[in-house]
Amino acid sequence: MAKKLVIKVTAGADAPERCSQAFTVAAVAVASGVEVSLWLTGESSWFALPGRAAEFELPHAAPLPDLIESVLAAGRITLCTQCAARREITEKDVIEGVRIAGAQVFVQEALGDETQALVY
């Protein structure tokens, strides 16, 4: 089993099942003791903002705010630099604990030893 999991979620409310799957896998991995780095890109970028996850609804899925809280408790959440800029999101706007970083950092994390990368 990989000791680190890097998950890039590109979907938001536009593809709710894919979005929920990414956050669920990240939260389950954290609960299983795996080091997790969850990347918010594309439409999932909005979930870096306070209150936005509470607006997300998907029947029979765990609440997105709970999943985000679980990942932040023992993992890392990163908002893509370009995605943030396109949405005029700055570091002062995001949930506490969310960082903004670019493709170079994503590639570095994804290519780390004993790392598995997933894209949703």
Side-chain angles (χ1 to χ4, degrees), residues 11-37:
D14 59 325
E17 287 184 300
R18 192 163 29 111
C19 175
S20 180
Q21 289 168 359
F23 283 94
T24 300
V25 167
V28 168
V30 165
S32 300
V34 176
E35 184 181 345
V36 172
S37 178

Side-chain angles (χ1 to χ4, degrees), residues 40-120:
L40 306 178
T41 67
E43 285 302 300
S44 72
S45 300
W46 295 113
F47 299 128
L49 298 174
R52 283 296 186 90
E55 298 171 6
F56 180 86
E57 292 183 16
L58 181 63
H60 310 290
L64 204 54
D66 294 350
L67 297 173
I68 290 172
E69 184 179 321
S70 294
V71 175
L72 282 174
R76 175 184 301 139
I77 297 180
T78 304
L79 171 59
C80 162
T81 301
Q82 290 181 8
C83 299
R86 280 190 281 276
R87 290 160 180 81
E88 299 181 357
I89 299 171
T90 67
E91 291 198 5
K92 66 179 173 63
D93 300 320
V94 299
I95 297 167
E96 185 176 341
V98 173
R99 70 175 177 166
I100 297 177
Q104 179 183 2
V105 176
F106 175 80
V107 169
Q108 182 180 18
E109 286 186 9
L111 294 177
D113 290 338
E114 299 187 51
T115 300
Q116 174 69 51
L118 303 173
V119 178
Y120 286 88

